[in-house]
Structures are given as C-alpha cells and as structure tokens.
Amino acid sequence: MSIKVIAVSKTYKTQKALNEVSFSADKGQIIGFLGPNGAGKSTMMKILTGFIKPNSGEVFVDEIDVLKNPIAAQKIIGYLPEHNPLYTDMYVREYLQFQASIFKVNKSEIETCIEKVGLTEEAHKKINELSKGYQQRVGLAAAILHNPKVLILDEPTTGLDPNQIAEIRELIKELGREKTVLFSTHIMQEVEAVCDRVIIIKKGAILVDKKLSELKQNNQQIIEVTFDRKIEEQFFKQLSDIISLKNNSENTWSLTFESKEDKRSKIFDFAQHNSLKILSLNAQHKNLETLFKEVTS
Ligand code: ADP
Ligand code: MG
C-alpha cells in the first residue's frame, strides 16, 4: 500500500474536522479527493504529509509511519499545499535550487523538473512575473524535485483559467504514471478525466470511496420532459423502472429510471398513449456531478 489511513480523527479546539477517517491507496493510483469547503480535505492532507498531528489514528505512506517518522515520510512525499506558498521575489531557478538544497537533491535534477513541468521558457523569470498557471507549475516542480513516490496536491487547479486547468491536469496525469497521486478539487470533470478512484468526504467523514469505473457503471438515467399540458403524478405509474420523479415546473418532470434500456422511446409511447405532446426531452446518465450533489447535499 502506498497510502494507508486508519481511523484518523482531528479536532481543532472545538471544531471537529475529521471523524475516524480510513482509506488506503495502491501504488500508481490517481485519487480525486472531493468534498465541499470545510469537509476536511486540507486537514487530511496536512496529516498525511506530517505537518499536523491527528488526535487519534494512524497514517502510513509507503509503509512508513508518518506520525512516528515524519521526516522519513516527507522524503518520499511531494506536497503542493493549498494556495501554493512560494517566495515570489525569487527567480524560478533560484527558488528550485533553494528547495533542492533543503531536500539535498542533486542540482542536475532541477533542470529535469523544469522541463517536466514545462517551465523551460520561464525559468529565468521572477516567480511574481509568472501567471498563476505557471506559478502552479513552480509549486509542482518543487513538489517533485526529490522524486517522491507519493504526491499530495491540495486544489492544484483552483483559480486557474480553463487552458491552465487543462495543462495542469495533463501534468497530473503524466505524474500519475509513476507516482501515487492524491489531489483535491471541486471540478467533477477533472476527476472524470484524470482519476482512477474517487473519495468524497463531507463533515470529516468519507461518504464515497469507489473506483471511477464502478461509479460510471450505474444504470440510472435522468430524463427531463416537458409535455403540452399538466398531468397528475399517478399517470407515471404506467412507466416501469421509475425510481423517483419530480415535478420541476407546471408541465415539466424530471424522471429517474434504473434500467439498462434507453427509456426515451418509452416516454414517447407513453405520451402518445395519453394524447400528450412532448415539447422538450433531455436525457442524461447519472454522472459524477449528480452523484456528488446527491451525496453532499
Ligand atoms: P477543506 O480543505 O475540505 O475545505 P479543511 O480541512 O480546511 O477543509 O477544514 C475542515 C474544518 O476544520 C473546517 O470546519 C475548518 O473551518 C476547520 N479548520 C481548519 N483548519 C483550522 C484551524 N487551523 N483552526 C481551527 N479550525 C480549522
Ligand atoms: Mg482545503
């Protein structure tokens, strides 16, 4: 196991931030760590990287006990904290040299990392002259300088524009080929595009921990349909496999089916049978975004 968290709890004074959180990750997985603000994501990451201690529980990174041997653990962990703390008055190369000296990394690694994160053209500049996307690359370069086995990235794409997000996302994917990556984000498409696994946390407790492939493998479809007139809820009893329904507005209904069969044609038959006209119909598979809303709302 690359990461193993066992029954970790953390309370800040009176604020409970984590409540008996457990999960583990195999080598080479990219895990999306999702949850609303205040869910406990950053707290979990600070504990995993040995920056703060939990009140109870155990944490192992690549079999090293983080609470007992934080320095040994930090040698194999790359960490990009939330808000990426950089010395912005320093030049990119100078900052990375400074970081390399802390981790006792050979200077030759610096150029390799600069190239890996696509900073070659900017490496001679001061950090405060770079765009936020490029500053994020500096943080990533600093995190991977010592070639860590595990990468912990706290909201690496927050505050970036769509192009920068796509670039950092590609980088995470690339890094995930050889490392275990745990990264927090609010963007569901990001998780769908990058991750092997998804952990959803709310109020300090894990609500979902599943492989992305398992999450995608559900047979729920949501169909929003507008008819030309108002109908009673009981009409829908004629339709099979409905698991829930909602009257969104006057003539518009949101129908959730659990079935492998595409239910759109059944709705057309239903309309015809009841002399209804369909004014609009919109079908979607239950995706990660709807799942996230469902479990966190
Ligand atoms: P997230 O990263 O998911 O937004 P955090 O781990 O930052 O969540 O916060 C979890 C909870 O702990 C929140 O209620 C937050 O206000 C609280 N919290 C975080 N850091 C501190 C701190 N240093 N002192 C007191 N409360 C904190
Ligand atoms: Mg946070």
Side-chain angles (χ1 to χ4, degrees):
M1 283 294 162
S2 233
I3 297 176
K4 196 162 179 62
V5 174
I6 307 166
V8 163
S9 294
K10 171 76 187 171
T11 303
Y12 297 103
K13 292 182 189 132
T14 55
Q15 174 72 52
K16 188 140 206 148
L18 295 174
N19 190 8
E20 302 259 325
V21 168
S22 301
F23 65 92
S24 54
D26 288 330
K27 283 195 175 73
Q29 269 191 342
I30 304 184
I31 304 167
F33 200 31
L34 297 171
N37 284 328
K41 302 180 297 295
S42 297
T43 302
M44 189 64 247
M45 289 176 153
K46 284 176 198 163
I47 292 171
L48 260 172
T49 49
F51 279 86
I52 59 171
K53 293 217 183 285
N55 298 94
S56 58
E58 291 177 277
V59 184
F60 299 90
V61 172
D62 206 32
E63 318 295 333
I64 298 173
D65 187 326
V66 179
L67 307 179
K68 288 192 182 132
N69 301 304
I71 303 283
Q74 281 162 0
K75 282 184 183 162
I76 56 160
I77 300 173
Y79 178 36
L80 178 62
E82 206 174 7
H83 312 306
N84 188 10
L86 295 167
Y87 293 112
T88 52
D89 279 338
M90 288 175 105
Y91 292 92
V92 173
R93 204 170 258 114
E94 183 191 16
Y95 174 72
L96 293 175
Q97 281 164 356
F98 166 66
Q99 286 287 335
S101 68
I102 294 175
F103 280 97
K104 302 195 170 58
V105 169
N106 201 316
K107 290 252 162 77
S108 64
E109 285 301 311
I110 297 171
E111 296 310 312
T112 313
C113 286
I114 285 176
E115 203 177 311
K116 210 176 222 171
V117 303
L119 268 174
T120 310
E121 304 286 311
E122 315 285 318
H124 64 284
K125 293 187 183 169
K126 263 194 179 177
I127 295 176
N128 63 19
E129 292 167 0
L130 302 182
S131 69
K132 188 142 195 287
Y134 275 90
Q135 291 191 1
Q136 210 62 343
R137 288 175 193 236
V138 178
L140 269 176
I144 61 169
L145 263 179
H146 56 301
N147 196 19
K149 290 181 182 171
V150 174
L151 263 183
I152 310 281
L153 312 173
D154 200 352
E155 296 195 27
T157 58
T158 295
L160 304 186
D161 72 34
N163 291 334
Q164 294 170 334
I165 288 177
E167 287 163 12
I168 297 291
R169 209 181 272 178
E170 281 311 305
L171 255 175
I172 294 173
K173 243 181 174 169
E174 180 102 16
L175 294 169
R177 293 211 182 99
E178 44 189 56
K179 301 178 193 307
T180 306
V181 183
L182 177 74
F183 81 101
S184 59
T185 176
H186 289 288
I187 308 170
M188 303 304 133
Q189 295 95 313
E190 189 153 291
V191 173
E192 300 207 63
V194 177
C195 297
D196 307 301
R197 196 153 130 224
V198 182
I199 295 179
I200 303 179
I201 183 172
K202 186 190 173 187
K203 290 189 182 158
I206 291 180
L207 301 179
V208 174
D209 179 356
K210 279 212 166 90
K211 281 192 181 144
L212 190 68
S213 54
E214 282 172 6
L215 281 178
K216 283 184 168 172
Q217 234 175 40
N218 69 67
N219 295 318
Q220 289 193 12
Q221 46 190 301
I222 302 163
I223 297 180
E224 192 181 78
V225 58
T226 306
F227 300 109
D228 61 335
R229 61 183 166 83
K230 196 170 164 55
I231 54 170
E232 296 302 321
E233 188 170 327
Q234 66 207 35
F235 266 75
F236 293 105
K237 285 193 182 141
Q238 298 166 28
L239 286 164
S240 57
D241 304 319
I242 282 197
I243 54 169
S244 69
L245 74 170
K246 200 171 126 217
N247 192 187
N248 292 348
S249 62
E250 191 85 332
N251 305 338
T252 301
W253 291 81
S254 202
L255 311 169
T256 305
F257 296 91
E258 173 99 49
S259 169
K260 282 202 171 92
E261 160 193 55
D262 187 338
K263 286 290 173 183
R264 287 176 297 185
S265 65
K266 290 283 180 285
I267 291 179
F268 278 103
D269 294 345
F270 165 83
Q272 199 176 28
H273 183 77
N274 293 291
S275 308
L276 293 161
K277 287 198 176 71
I278 292 177
L279 302 183
S280 79
L281 186 142
N282 176 16
Q284 54 167 235
H285 241 81
K286 189 163 167 182
N287 59 16
L288 203 56
E289 188 135 4
T290 36
L291 177 88
F292 181 81
K293 278 191 195 140
E294 203 173 279
V295 297
T296 58
S297 64

